[in-house]
Amino acid sequence: QVQLVESGGGSVQAGGSLRLSCAAPGLTFSSYAMAWFRQAPGKEREFVAAITWSGDSTDYADSVKGRFTISRLNDKNTSYLLMISLKPEDTAVYYCAVAWRKSIATMAKGVAMDYWGKGTLVTVSS
């Protein structure tokens, strides 16, 4: 059973930055598109960012465009989400998920993912 492992969450003040990591030990990572989602207290899970299996294309939610950057290092089986200019409304549990060679558009829907992580909490204070 593959288990994705997120790390890098924490508490920061508004305007600060964090870099989340998603490790995928035991997975042929280079064959999987991956995405980040988040769920704030009392709200539904929402799409944040996605990257193709090759890393040649990315997509972002409008709310994070220009502030978040998704990337991946296939030789390290790891993906990253760099978050800058954080806002209190970015407070949420962040999850990574992967799906075998799915398109960016499909990843953004967050359905039929092959594996999910357990999440890492990001808290942004004003």
Side-chain angles (χ1 to χ4, degrees):
Q1 180 72 18
V2 173
Q3 180 65 60
L4 305 183
V5 181
E6 301 97 336
S7 62
S11 297
V12 296
Q13 290 190 328
S17 62
L18 285 172
R19 189 181 76 160
L20 306 183
S21 299
C22 174
L27 190 69
T28 308
F29 191 62
S30 59
S31 295
Y32 287 80
M34 77 87 56
W36 288 91
F37 298 85
R38 66 187 181 186
Q39 187 166 19
K43 295 187 177 181
E44 293 188 353
R45 185 184 66 201
E46 65 175 356
F47 168 74
V48 175
I51 188 167
T52 54
W53 57 275
S54 63
D56 62 351
S57 183
T58 58
D59 189 25
Y60 298 90
D62 288 343
S63 59
V64 306
K65 280 181 181 177
R67 300 188 300 120
F68 290 13
T69 303
I70 189 172
S71 61
R72 64 190 298 157
L73 289 176
N74 286 343
D75 59 343
K76 295 186 180 295
N77 274 31
T78 303
S79 176
Y80 304 95
L81 184 68
L82 175 62
M83 308 184 294
I84 66 171
S85 301
L86 282 162
K87 304 175 181 180
E89 51 263 45
D90 294 319
T91 295
V93 177
Y94 284 72
Y95 301 89
C96 63
V98 295
W100 194 81
R101 298 207 176 187
K102 280 193 173 174
S103 68
I104 287 285
T106 304
M107 295 297 288
K109 296 177 182 177
V111 297
M113 298 289 106
D114 292 315
Y115 304 104
W116 287 87
K118 293 184 177 181
T120 186
L121 176 63
V122 172
T123 303
V124 185
S125 58
S126 57

